[in-house]
Amino acid sequence: MKNRNKMMKNLLIGMFGMGLCTLGCWIAGKYGEGNVRNGYIQSNWVKMPYLQFEIALILCAIGICLSYVGIKDYIKSVRIIHRKRHPYDGFMGMLFEIGCVAFLVSFLFIQTGYIFMALVYKHLYDTSLMGADIISTVEGSFNYIAIPLFAFLAISVGGASLAYMYFVLTGGFKVSKAAFILNPLVFLGIGELLKLTKLFYLVDAASGFIPLGFVLMMAIGAVHISTVPVRRASDLSERGESTDRRREDRRKHDNGEYTGERDRRRADRRQYSRREEDRWDY
């Protein structure tokens, strides 16, 4: 791999960005003690300051931009893996790429829709409308965007996580197979279980588990990339062949030392055709 150090640096930047997204989700989902959930509605929204939602949205916006830096190189490493080995590698590589891109596109949209619903609820709470009317108005408005929101969530979390688990379990990623649990889908399930505990601090913490799963998944990707050997320029020519071998082939070809039509054709192919790209050549 020629650009391993650059890819490692980009993955660290992406992990930092995804960490900001996690922090933004935790801030937006910090309802506090005494919160009661009614469908999509959280009763403690009225107690949360507007600044809390603004900070959460800003952190998510900055974080998703930085996350792109790491995810694009993560996708590149997966493209190399699915070139060979197993028959389903190509499909899983495509699924991983679709899931990661869908998350980059949809995350800010999902957070904005969620925070907008909370802000509308806070505004209507200060009016003369009854509680049932407020809830029906807010949920009715949210239902217009609920279908694409949850569709993006399913594609991004499900697609990226399933493909990631496949590559870990089949040996595509050079890491322990126990690392397959470190993905957004598993952490989404853990978060839903924590919400059943009714302990407010666990319920609040569960709001950031999806981006936290992406942080850990990117960390495993960085571990995998660190195990890939660096391709040295002194060992390989730009066409991926041994420099000494190419030099020897050229000398024999020029001096006419190859005998027979088969040897001459073989020498011509070595001299003038590009060999298959090296597996770890990024």
Side-chain angles (χ1 to χ4, degrees):
M1 185 192 302
K2 295 186 298 185
N3 301 318
R4 186 177 69 180
N5 293 335
K6 180 181 177 181
M7 294 182 71
M8 290 288 292
K9 181 183 70 175
N10 289 344
L11 272 173
L12 290 176
I13 294 174
M15 290 169 60
F16 175 74
M18 202 62 73
L20 291 180
C21 294
T22 305
L23 182 59
C25 289
W26 278 335
I27 292 175
K30 189 178 182 303
Y31 308 120
E33 190 172 4
N35 179 65
V36 177
R37 180 176 180 176
N38 186 0
Y40 300 129
I41 306 301
Q42 310 291 338
S43 63
N44 279 4
W45 275 344
V46 296
K47 301 178 182 179
M48 298 166 64
Y50 288 103
L51 183 62
Q52 183 172 342
F53 295 110
E54 294 173 0
I55 293 175
L57 200 56
I58 291 172
L59 287 175
C60 290
I62 296 174
I64 204 64
C65 294
L66 295 176
S67 299
Y68 168 76
V69 178
I71 286 182
K72 68 180 179 65
D73 276 351
Y74 202 176
I75 292 173
K76 188 184 298 184
S77 68
V78 173
R79 285 176 181 169
I80 302 301
I81 293 173
H82 72 66
R83 288 177 181 171
K84 53 183 84 173
R85 290 174 58 90
H86 295 283
Y88 298 107
D89 282 2
F91 172 76
M92 285 299 178
M94 180 180 63
L95 183 64
F96 182 83
E97 185 170 352
I98 291 174
C100 289
V101 172
F103 183 80
L104 290 173
V105 172
S106 65
F107 176 77
L108 194 59
F109 163 65
I110 294 172
Q111 283 298 108
T112 302
Y114 176 80
I115 290 175
F116 181 76
M117 183 170 59
L119 296 177
V120 171
Y121 182 83
K122 283 175 63 68
H123 279 294
L124 294 179
Y125 190 84
D126 296 331
T127 65
S128 59
L129 289 175
M130 299 295 292
D133 295 332
I134 295 175
I135 292 175
S136 63
T137 301
V138 174
E139 289 190 340
S141 301
F142 179 74
N143 285 334
Y144 285 107
I145 63 172
I147 293 178
L149 187 152
F150 289 118
F152 267 121
L153 185 66
I155 293 172
S156 60
V157 174
S161 299
L162 291 175
Y164 164 81
M165 289 189 284
Y166 170 83
F167 285 121
V168 170
L169 294 176
T170 58
F173 287 150
K174 305 302 181 183
V175 296
S176 171
K177 286 181 171 54
F180 84 97
I181 64 173
L182 302 178
N183 65 79
L185 185 61
V186 171
F187 273 73
L188 174 62
I190 294 174
E192 293 302 315
L193 292 177
L194 291 180
K195 292 177 182 178
L196 299 177
T197 62
K198 305 301 182 181
L199 299 175
F200 74 93
Y201 47 87
L202 294 180
V203 174
D204 293 352
S207 61
F209 270 31
I210 291 179
L212 179 60
F214 272 95
V215 172
L216 297 175
M217 190 171 72
M218 294 173 70
I220 296 301
V223 172
H224 160 69
I225 291 174
S226 68
T227 63
V228 177
V230 178
R231 198 187 76 167
R232 302 180 184 277
S234 60
D235 296 335
L236 296 174
S237 69
E238 63 178 2
R239 293 187 176 182
E241 295 181 342
S242 168
T243 306
D244 293 337
R245 179 180 175 183
R246 286 173 57 81
R247 187 181 297 115
E248 180 66 16
D249 284 342
R250 185 181 298 112
R251 185 188 64 80
K252 290 184 177 181
H253 182 272
D254 293 341
N255 295 338
E257 296 182 14
Y258 283 109
T259 59
E261 184 64 23
R262 181 179 179 183
D263 286 341
R264 282 194 293 272
R265 287 199 304 269
R266 184 179 300 169
D268 289 339
R269 286 197 300 270
R270 288 176 178 173
Q271 292 296 321
Y272 303 111
S273 64
R274 183 178 294 272
R275 184 178 157 181
E276 179 184 1
E277 184 180 1
D278 183 78
R279 175 173 179 170
W280 300 112
D281 183 7
Y282 286 81

